[in-house]
Amino acid sequence: FSRLKEGLQKSSHKLTEGISSIFTKKKLDNETLLELEDLLISADLGVETAQKLTENLRKSRFNEDITQEEIHSFLAQEITKILEPVAKPLLIGNTHKPYVILVVGVNGSGKTTTIGKLGRIFQNQGLKVRLAAGDTFRAAAVEQLAEWGKRSQIPVEVASQGSDPASLAYEAYAKAQKAQDDVLLIDTAGRLHNKEGLMAELAKILRVLQKIDPTAPHECLLVLDATIGQNAHIQVEVFQKIARITGLIITKLDGTAKGGVLIALVEKFHLPVYAIGVGEGADDLKDFDAKNFAENLVG
Ligand code: GDP
């Protein structure tokens, strides 16, 4: 977990500095509470969460003497409470074989890298894994996934650049069924600037997967880049219109001061957070642990 601690340093630094400049007097008064609310908003926790946290603090400690340490532990506890219900590991049920996981998100958010890392995690759990390089728009994405596959000795289905990602997805699914794979992870393109095209493409992928099994995909993961802060909300809304998103993976939590956005997203969408990305390396995808995240964020 030290990677997370290191990664969230910018976010926690912002909060720690803020708290020490706000809590110069001992007593918890209105002005201090308002300043704390502003600080939480500026740390990307979202207006509603910021209000809720300060309101809870007001209720329990208004007009009382309070130390900075108490503020830190209050915030860590409250944030843990918010995050605990959504901190769920991604479990591959044996209800479907293969368990089909479609991975969506805007280009650059970290989809391909995340699929590479997830593939390794599942393989290390003893599962039989297959990857499908469905971002056929971007040649580099196909190469990148093929490279991940090679390194981990996981089969990767590829098609030539510009070919139809839906037929690739269909063929990969059929192949995975035949090979009795446990998990099939499918990459997709994320050209948000061409929303119509993106919607049509993902809709087609969903249609062909459902030809094989009407309940597929069994998970649809949305990968979000934490460094974009509040813009992540719009991305969730856009992708929820296209597919039934079953969980989030938040990447690039290393080195951003916007780590608080994860809390705002959880409060708004109540989607499980299956994992977090804290670096580019193979081992930098971590299970999301509510308490650990909260404590490292608050500093
Ligand atoms: P895609 O377009 O959504 O498939 O995104 P990629 O997987 O190609 O990732 C885009 C860039 O972000 C690459 O340079 C990745 O190495 C990098 N990246 C992905 N996840 C993380 C992460 O958790 N932390 C950091 N620092 N970089 C990441």
Side-chain angles (χ1 to χ4, degrees):
F1 285 122
S2 64
R3 193 68 200 239
L4 178 65
K5 194 183 178 85
E6 223 178 276
L8 286 176
Q9 239 162 29
K10 277 193 193 156
S11 299
S12 69
H13 189 67
K14 185 168 183 166
L15 284 170
T16 307
E17 292 272 288
I19 288 169
S20 63
S21 70
I22 293 170
F23 291 87
T24 44
K25 48 194 168 221
K26 278 194 203 149
K27 200 160 262 176
L28 185 67
D29 59 12
N30 274 324
E31 193 197 343
T32 315
L33 281 163
L34 277 175
E35 280 175 4
L36 178 65
E37 189 178 320
D38 285 348
L39 173 70
L40 297 174
I41 292 170
S42 78
D44 281 284
L45 275 79
V47 177
E48 277 170 45
T49 315
Q51 280 172 350
K52 187 168 120 177
L53 294 180
T54 37
E55 208 34 53
N56 289 353
L57 182 61
R58 178 197 298 278
K59 274 187 208 142
S60 66
R61 301 295 299 269
F62 191 61
N63 254 339
E64 287 176 23
D65 284 353
I66 193 160
T67 65
Q68 288 183 22
E69 287 68 38
E70 284 174 307
I71 296 293
H72 280 270
S73 68
F74 172 85
L75 289 175
Q77 269 172 30
E78 291 285 310
I79 292 170
T80 304
K81 263 193 258 167
I82 294 173
L83 298 180
E84 252 163 3
V86 299
K88 294 180 183 156
L90 179 52
L91 296 174
I92 304 305
N94 46 17
T95 40
H96 305 280
K97 202 177 164 89
Y99 198 74
V100 179
I101 304 176
L102 188 69
V103 182
V104 301
V106 170
N107 273 348
S109 57
K111 284 186 301 297
T112 309
T113 312
T114 299
I115 291 174
K117 294 172 182 171
L118 277 176
R120 272 173 65 107
I121 291 173
F122 293 142
Q123 198 184 44
N124 288 338
Q125 289 170 4
L127 297 167
K128 209 169 156 218
V129 187
R130 187 176 301 265
L131 312 178
D135 185 357
T136 58
F137 186 74
R138 208 163 58 88
V142 177
E143 282 163 26
Q144 209 180 315
L145 202 65
E147 185 54 39
W148 275 102
K150 208 163 99 189
R151 256 189 279 161
S152 318
Q153 293 181 307
I154 297 173
V156 184
E157 300 307 317
V158 298
S160 51
Q161 190 184 1
S163 64
D164 180 20
S167 43
L168 174 80
Y170 183 85
E171 278 160 31
Y173 194 179
K175 217 167 175 173
Q177 249 187 341
K178 208 166 160 201
Q180 298 208 306
D181 292 329
D182 297 300
V183 196
L184 171 65
L185 285 153
I186 305 174
D187 198 5
T188 60
R191 287 160 285 138
L192 203 56
H193 60 271
N194 176 3
K195 239 185 257 177
E196 302 295 311
L198 175 76
M199 285 203 193
E201 187 170 302
L202 287 176
K204 193 170 170 194
I205 294 174
L206 293 169
R207 262 198 326 273
V208 302
L209 294 175
Q210 283 156 8
K211 267 193 203 167
I212 297 182
D213 172 3
T215 66
H218 309 109
E219 297 278 353
C220 184
L221 303 187
L222 175 60
V223 177
L224 296 168
D225 171 348
T227 63
I228 65 167
Q230 296 301 309
N231 286 328
H233 288 259
I234 300 161
Q235 294 188 2
V236 180
E237 279 161 7
V238 168
F239 280 95
Q240 274 189 327
K241 283 195 189 116
I242 307 175
R244 194 176 61 86
I245 304 298
T246 57
L248 303 176
I249 291 187
I250 320 283
T251 62
K252 308 189 195 178
L253 279 165
D254 47 311
T256 175
K258 297 180 186 294
V261 71
L262 188 148
I263 301 158
L265 288 169
V266 165
E267 280 274 78
K268 184 153 176 201
F269 298 103
H270 307 285
L271 285 163
V273 177
Y274 283 135
I276 53 174
V278 293
E280 295 184 273
D283 298 321
D284 292 334
L285 189 73
K286 307 286 184 199
D287 278 351
F288 177 58
D289 181 290
K291 188 161 181 268
N292 199 268
F293 182 87
E295 283 173 356
N296 282 313
L297 182 79
V298 174

